[in-house]
Amino acid sequence: MNVILIAVIVLGVIGLVSALVLYFISHKFAVHEDPRIAQVSEVLPQANCGGCGYPGCSGFAAACVKAADAGSLEGKLCPVGGQPVMEQVAGILGMAAVASAPKVAVVRCNGTCENRPRNAEFDGAVSCRVKNMTGMGDTGCPYGCLGCGDCVSKCQFGAISMDAETGLPVVDEEKCTACGACAKACPRSIIEIRLKGPKGRRVVVLCNNKDKGAIANKACKASCIGCGKCVKTCEKFQAITLENNLAYIDAEKCKMCRKCEEACPKGAIHGFNFPPRKPKAEEPAVQSTDNTPNQNVEPSKAE
Amino acid sequence: MKSFHIGGVHPAENKLSAGSPIREAALPRQAVFSMFQHIGAPAKPVVQKGDTVKVGTLLAEAGGFVSAPVYSSVSGKVNKIDAVVDASGTRRMAVIVDVEGDEWEETIDRSKSLVRLSDRPDLDSKTIVEKIKNAGIVGMGGATFPCHVKLTPPPGSKAECVIINAVECEPYLTADHRLMLEHPEEILVGVDLIMKAVNVTKGYIGIENNKPDAIRLMTEKAKQYPGIEVVPLKVKYPQGGEKQLIDAVIGRQVPAPPAIPINVGAVVQNVGTAYAIYEAVMKNKPLIDRVITVTGKSVRNPSNLLARLGTPFQQLIDECGGLPEDTGKVIGGGPMMGKALLSLDVPMTKGSSGLLIMNKKEARRAEPQPCIRCAKCVSACPMGLEPYLLSKLASMEEWETAEKNDIVSCIECGSCQFTCPSNRPLLDMIRVGKTTVMGIIRNRAAAKK
Ligand code: SF4
Ligand code: SF4
Ligand code: SF4
Ligand code: SF4
Ligand code: SF4
């Protein structure tokens, strides 16, 4: 009996002492986390995709709180949540939300099976990264899509898929959050996270080929050959630059007149989500001055 | 018999061209000299369009210390300097020369007479290394590492012996084998020169035991060259890997990178390099040609050709009976480590040891199946790695774990992939991982500075 009593008392005392020690230690060494971090974290989408550039949503929340303390939320954007979520975040932190325009992933290659002949057969591991190490890949274009779908497997939102017919990835604009995971995965930097544009409308050079015109032309029917006709057409807005034999349209400067699209002799420039062209176009800039019918307009995607 | 100790595989030897003597290939009509024939900084062209060049004229100078100059192997006019697709599958800078006649620079001694080291007492170690450097010699086994760099031990390390790699463990290839049978003395003088260059008195020549005639001949001739010993080695792939060879011959293990062979006192050079060194130092002939094996089961006439650098592969194949009808793949190098070519217009470079034409059946890679955890790849890996794990880590982009598992030690020998019963593309993924991890390590080192 006595033994049991002693054991109970000894254990009880040890327990009590340990509890007190733990209590004091936990107070002494407590990590005080800003309660706002948890609050911000709560409104974030919890996709933990890293699209914001921070390690997960809680990392982004901490960064937002820090930025708010420093005075501005400039440059902080959760691409998945977009403007509404950023407004909530700003509300919690008592700041004004910085306006941001929605973006979307754009696959800048139109080297479909039809446009770009395959001149080799690749039988290695099905991975764009592996295929890219062979140099050219299985076509004559060392800049174009490799078609093994590394980008597809990286998308958490099921927004990008391989089109079996063209052999190119297609982005579902509804689902895409512009997190950028696909762009990071692509070993040839083909995917650009680009301004979605008003009503989803945008004009893009769908080619990534930096070879000289003659070489690019031989490799692919849809290649940009760096002729600079588009640059001349856009003299007024100065939206197009030509570097390394490749034209690039600055989405901020582009006024969506679509003149470059008509000027491109290779049909490398594409307008997205424009209504089908009628004789009297909706866009004021597209006048019927040029009466050559444009064959390269993509059928507008359902919005 | 001596051998390396960990892993290894036994691919079918298929040395079809072993009995065919080296013959000279015809001159090309146009020769293409890539500026990327070596590891390191690309060479810088010093000629211009329209310049007349002779055999042995400098076309491009070295672009740094780890780099090598490029000499013209033909005489004629520079047509243009432009980017062309080379054996790497990418478009890179090259000097293109239209061939006219065959005129050589006078400085080159074209006589066949043998010059021994004892005939040239004026040569000291510095002069030899300088001559090798100026001749543009690189590792001719395929690694193409500039030769003079290896012969200049970094401060604090000292060479103790020279090991000559005459293993030729790649199936099909016979270029080194024929070179030993036809030019044994030149090679031995070359070894003497390398030994003198790094100030050692001991040289080993490692030869795989499937070349008994070469072993016999070299042992016989080596008697007149004190300090040089021929070491017969067991037939096992990759006996000719640098680290494997050091293990087999002197029983020392090179630690994981960044350690290099010199850290264990060894300087390893290929037997073809020794021959090129002989020609460069004793005959003043820069590296302008080499022996290349053109072979394959369906090739009419598998041969060893002494061809000028810059000759398009198509022409070499034509010399051996043309491209067979059932060709599935043409590989630059051997079947284990070579690379499939995208086009036959690709020019021959300093590192082209072979041209293997696989028929359709051989070329087809089997459909990969799931890994069955048999660990055959683990037992095959000569570096003691876990290939199944490394390839998985690379595909999952777990770079940190891959680095901890020593992915940079992989020598890309392909033993794992060769042995896998599930035909998994192990090396494909490991190579991606290795390149990425090496990049990460380089960036980290750069950030530290
Ligand atoms: S040329 Fe342009 S469009 Fe064609 S495959 Fe290459 S990158 Fe794609
Ligand atoms: S398509 Fe690309 S950017 Fe869009 S959600 Fe998927 S991974 Fe992110
Ligand atoms: S866009 Fe890039 S990642 Fe996607 S399939 Fe093409 S090459 Fe691969
Ligand atoms: S390729 Fe690399 S991992 Fe595979 S067996 Fe060779 S050294 Fe080992
Ligand atoms: S040999 Fe192939 S199947 Fe066996 S453990 Fe390695 S990867 Fe898996």
Side-chain angles (χ1 to χ4, degrees):
Chain A
M1 199 60 202
N2 222 358
V3 182
I4 294 172
L5 202 64
I6 289 170
V8 168
I9 290 170
V10 168
L11 279 178
V13 171
I14 291 176
L16 196 68
V17 172
S18 311
L20 286 173
V21 169
L22 279 176
Y23 177 77
F24 282 114
I25 287 182
S26 74
H27 262 251
K28 179 111 184 130
F29 296 100
V31 180
H32 287 290
E33 202 198 51
D34 198 320
R36 288 175 299 166
I37 293 180
Q39 285 170 351
V40 171
S41 220
E42 209 138 275
V43 298
L44 293 176
Q46 297 304 334
N48 287 315
C49 63
C52 50
Y54 295 91
C57 295
S58 60
F60 180 63
C64 284
V65 171
K66 209 169 154 203
D69 289 344
S72 158
L73 281 179
E74 186 80 51
K76 299 275 174 298
L77 174 70
C78 166
V80 180
Q83 196 62 12
V85 162
M86 285 319 289
E87 261 156 31
Q88 268 177 289
V89 171
I92 293 169
L93 298 173
M95 307 281 299
V98 178
S100 71
K103 292 189 172 178
V104 70
V106 178
V107 181
R108 287 180 301 157
C109 173
N110 194 25
T112 56
C113 304
E114 207 175 280
N115 285 337
R116 172 171 57 151
R118 313 276 135 165
N119 51 19
E121 208 179 313
F122 175 71
D123 61 358
V126 185
S127 148
C128 298
R129 282 179 300 156
V130 171
K131 198 166 173 186
N132 192 36
M133 290 190 97
T134 60
M136 209 70 113
D138 54 1
T139 70
C141 175
Y143 301 94
C145 177
L146 295 154
C148 292
D150 279 15
C151 48
V152 174
S153 60
K154 276 282 141 50
C155 181
Q156 292 187 37
F157 305 95
I160 188 164
S161 58
M162 245 21 224
D163 183 331
E165 209 170 296
T166 59
L168 297 171
V170 195
V171 177
D172 181 335
E173 299 188 7
E174 290 292 301
K175 290 189 188 158
C176 176
T177 63
C179 72
C182 52
K184 233 202 260 160
C186 178
R188 288 186 164 176
S189 307
I190 289 165
I191 303 179
E192 184 192 0
I193 305 299
R194 203 178 158 88
L195 283 179
K196 208 164 181 175
K199 293 195 210 159
R201 290 176 191 175
R202 67 200 106 91
V203 186
V204 194
V205 180
L206 284 193
C207 180
N208 189 35
N209 192 315
K210 300 178 185 75
D211 276 333
K212 281 186 215 140
I215 298 171
N217 197 25
K218 215 166 134 198
C220 174
K221 275 192 219 152
S223 57
C224 166
I225 49 172
C227 64
K229 284 200 175 136
C230 51
V231 181
K232 278 210 194 94
T233 324
C234 197
E235 235 156 25
K236 198 163 148 209
F237 306 122
Q238 299 274 326
I240 309 182
T241 44
L242 191 69
E243 213 178 300
N244 294 329
N245 308 306
L246 179 62
Y248 178 79
I249 303 177
D250 186 337
E252 307 251 1
K253 291 188 188 155
C254 172
K255 296 282 183 292
M256 317 263 174
C257 70
R258 298 177 82 192
K259 282 203 183 134
C260 51
E261 210 181 307
E262 288 158 28
C264 177
K266 300 278 322 249
I269 302 180
H270 291 246
F272 283 86
N273 301 328
F274 287 93
R277 290 206 165 176
K278 295 174 218 126
K280 201 172 150 276
E282 197 181 286
E283 248 61 28
V286 186
Q287 297 298 345
S288 46
T289 46
D290 187 345
N291 49 14
T292 43
N294 190 311
Q295 280 128 11
N296 299 313
V297 188
E298 274 210 338
S300 85
K301 294 203 176 95
E303 274 175 285
Chain B
M1 189 162 296
K2 287 187 168 176
S3 170
F4 64 97
H5 294 95
I6 314 172
V9 291
H10 297 96
E13 288 169 27
N14 288 322
K15 303 270 190 189
L16 308 172
S17 49
S20 121
I22 299 172
R23 64 189 157 89
E24 262 187 63
L27 286 177
R29 256 187 293 132
Q30 191 176 58
V32 179
F33 302 95
S34 169
M35 296 295 105
F36 292 79
Q37 302 192 36
H38 49 264
I39 290 177
K44 281 195 235 123
V46 293
V47 288
Q48 266 152 19
K49 185 178 168 167
D51 284 3
T52 338
V53 295
K54 289 185 192 166
V55 178
T57 307
L58 181 70
L59 292 180
E61 58 185 17
F65 179 64
V66 184
S67 181
V70 177
Y71 290 86
S72 178
S73 68
V74 292
S75 61
K77 255 203 185 78
V78 177
N79 177 308
K80 58 180 170 181
I81 299 173
D82 199 6
V84 294
V85 179
D86 63 15
S88 71
T90 43
R91 203 172 270 114
R92 303 198 285 193
M93 269 307 156
V95 176
I96 300 160
V97 179
D98 287 332
V99 181
E100 289 160 21
D102 191 24
E103 219 179 301
W104 290 54
E105 291 277 3
E106 273 93 50
T107 45
I108 301 172
D109 173 7
R110 295 179 69 188
S111 68
K112 291 267 179 282
S113 61
L114 184 77
V115 189
R116 291 211 170 80
L117 187 55
S118 48
D119 305 333
R120 295 285 304 274
D122 57 307
L123 288 172
D124 62 0
S125 126
K126 251 215 186 98
T127 341
I128 297 175
V129 176
E130 204 53 34
K131 282 198 170 201
I132 292 172
K133 184 174 168 187
N134 291 340
I137 296 179
V138 302
M140 312 262 288
T144 66
F145 194 74
C147 188
H148 64 274
V149 181
K150 276 201 199 171
L151 299 182
T152 320
S157 51
K158 191 178 165 348
E160 290 165 40
C161 66
V162 166
I163 301 177
I164 298 300
N165 185 351
V167 174
E168 206 160 50
C169 58
E170 274 273 6
Y172 286 99
L173 302 192
T174 56
D176 290 350
H177 184 186
R178 288 312 307 184
L179 200 61
M180 281 189 281
L181 291 182
E182 292 173 37
H183 301 281
E185 298 246 17
E186 284 90 338
I187 291 171
L188 285 161
V189 176
V191 182
D192 255 351
L193 286 169
I194 300 173
M195 283 158 59
K196 178 108 196 204
V198 291
N199 287 317
V200 299
T201 49
K202 192 73 206 155
Y204 302 94
I205 303 180
I207 309 178
E208 228 177 26
N209 204 25
N210 55 4
K211 300 180 257 298
D213 46 353
I215 295 176
R216 222 176 303 120
L217 184 68
M218 293 300 281
T219 316
E220 176 65 37
K221 298 277 183 197
K223 280 184 192 143
Q224 299 161 42
Y225 296 82
I228 302 183
E229 185 188 325
V230 174
V231 187
L233 298 170
K234 202 168 141 187
V235 181
K236 185 156 91 171
Y237 179 86
Q239 196 72 263
E242 199 170 50
K243 292 173 181 176
Q244 283 64 36
L245 187 63
I246 295 171
D247 179 20
V249 175
I250 56 171
R252 293 186 192 168
Q253 282 76 35
V254 184
I260 47 174
I262 193 75
N263 295 104
V264 296
V267 172
V268 183
Q269 290 291 355
N270 177 269
V271 61
T273 318
Y275 182 67
I277 286 175
Y278 165 80
E279 288 197 312
V281 180
M282 298 306 196
K283 301 276 176 183
N284 250 330
K285 182 179 155 202
L287 184 53
I288 54 157
D289 55 10
R290 68 160 296 150
V291 181
I292 176 171
T293 305
V294 182
T295 181
K297 284 190 186 136
S298 311
V299 175
R300 188 155 342 128
N301 198 357
S303 323
N304 302 293
L305 299 174
L306 177 66
R308 304 279 174 93
L309 301 183
T311 310
F313 282 146
Q314 176 71 56
Q315 191 188 323
L316 300 180
I317 294 175
D318 289 344
E319 296 233 6
C320 302
L323 197 66
E325 232 165 64
D326 63 347
T327 301
K329 252 184 208 168
V330 179
I331 294 183
M336 297 299 284
M337 291 191 68
K339 194 169 170 172
L341 299 172
L342 282 173
S343 135
L344 293 181
D345 300 330
V346 166
M348 167 165 162
T349 59
K350 294 175 181 176
S352 309
S353 51
L355 203 53
L356 169 63
I357 296 150
M358 284 186 169
N359 59 35
K360 285 217 172 80
K361 213 173 114 224
E362 273 180 296
R364 195 78 237 158
R365 274 167 80 166
E367 198 60 33
Q369 304 296 327
C371 171
I372 54 169
R373 303 284 141 137
C374 64
K376 277 197 175 165
C377 52
V378 180
S379 4
C381 177
M383 296 305 294
L385 306 172
E386 293 175 85
Y388 76 94
L389 178 68
L390 295 180
S391 100
K392 192 77 207 162
L393 289 173
S395 65
M396 286 164 52
E397 303 184 19
E398 293 280 346
W399 309 129
E400 232 169 90
T401 326
E403 188 184 343
K404 280 195 196 118
N405 281 284
D406 235 349
I407 198 164
V408 290
S409 283
C410 170
I411 57 170
E412 304 185 27
C413 67
S415 300
C416 48
Q417 194 159 318
F418 172 80
T419 209
C420 177
S422 282
N423 312 312
R424 298 200 55 74
L426 295 167
L427 181 53
D428 284 8
M429 279 331 289
I430 294 176
R431 215 180 259 138
V432 167
K434 184 180 164 187
T435 331
T436 314
V437 170
M438 273 164 61
I440 292 172
I441 293 174
R442 254 198 314 276
N443 288 347
R444 202 188 298 143
K448 242 185 217 158
K449 269 183 203 156

